[in-house]
Amino acid sequence: MDEPRSRFVDLAFTLQGNSLPRDHRQALAAALLQALPWLGSVPGAGVHRLNVSAGGGAHALLSQRTRLTLRLPRAHADAALALVGQTLPVAGSPLRLGGAQARELLPWSTLYAHLVVAADDEADEGVFLQAVQAELAALGVSGRAICGRHQATEGGTLQGYGLMLDHLSPTDALLLMEAGLGPRRLWGCGVFVPHKSAAAVGAPH
């Protein structure tokens, strides 16, 4: 039986740049909205977390393999190609975008988001998971939620947890990747990707 096909795709751009501030989510979102003003009004649009070097310094190094990946409805993918060749000013660190490759969303039974935002009154893990379950119920998605470690970024103004969901049906997996969980999707929050095991849920990010 063929797997369901998502209405969304991931559009991955090559990058040229040396480093970024470790807290760069807000600045990156602002630069993208400056380049693509329509992006903020597209339901479900998101930005994947950038893979940068680990460490505790103020700046993080970019590798040649790092990609800037947008999650978009298929109908908006062509318009996003306007980013090719542009340089995004991200908190004083320029990022030049090269060619882009569209990638299909894969409905694995286990999905992971590096950071799902918790509201101010949801810093407690139990309360956070209750809010997650309520959002999943509203989406009609059934799966087991496993909470990772608490995280604070953007100078402590953005807080939440890593989150894994498993035992997902293909239909529910695609729905979760399309909808995401929590706010700040353009800041790289609540964006789910396939994952092979629960081992990394508590790993540093």
Side-chain angles (χ1 to χ4, degrees):
M1 183 176 178
D2 291 338
E3 290 182 340
R5 187 169 183 254
S6 177
R7 299 178 295 107
F8 282 62
V9 294
D10 282 342
L11 198 58
F13 295 83
T14 60
L15 287 180
Q16 291 180 345
N18 296 319
S19 66
L20 283 176
R22 201 162 289 281
D23 288 352
H24 59 261
R25 293 172 185 262
Q26 182 177 7
L28 177 58
L32 284 167
L33 287 170
Q34 183 71 29
L36 301 176
W38 50 265
L39 187 60
S41 62
V42 176
V47 180
H48 286 250
R49 168 184 175 269
L50 286 178
N51 289 320
V52 297
S53 62
H59 277 71
L61 297 178
L62 294 172
S63 80
Q64 293 183 345
R65 295 187 301 273
T66 300
R67 298 290 183 268
L68 173 65
T69 304
L70 306 182
R71 179 159 294 168
L72 295 166
R74 291 180 189 274
H76 291 82
D78 285 347
L81 294 176
L83 289 173
V84 173
Q86 291 202 40
T87 298
L88 301 180
V90 182
S93 299
L95 287 182
R96 182 171 175 80
L97 275 60
Q101 179 182 16
R103 300 171 178 170
E104 295 292 331
L105 304 190
L106 302 177
W108 287 24
S109 63
T110 302
L111 298 177
Y112 182 69
H114 285 280
L115 178 62
V116 176
V117 175
D120 291 341
D121 60 349
E122 292 173 6
D124 175 80
E125 180 178 320
V127 177
F128 170 76
L129 283 173
Q130 288 179 357
V132 165
Q133 291 295 348
E135 198 167 349
L136 291 173
L139 289 172
V141 169
S142 175
R144 180 181 64 159
I146 302 173
C147 194
R149 71 182 182 90
H150 179 261
Q151 301 174 57
T153 185
E154 301 298 309
T157 62
L158 189 66
Q159 299 194 40
Y161 294 85
L163 186 68
M164 190 184 80
L165 286 160
D166 63 4
H167 305 310
L168 296 166
S169 69
T171 299
D172 282 359
L174 286 184
L175 182 57
L176 183 61
M177 285 190 285
E178 292 169 357
L181 287 180
R184 300 295 188 188
R185 203 78 70 249
L186 295 183
W187 290 29
C189 303
V191 179
F192 284 85
V193 296
H195 207 279
K196 292 183 179 179
S197 77
V201 171
H205 305 302

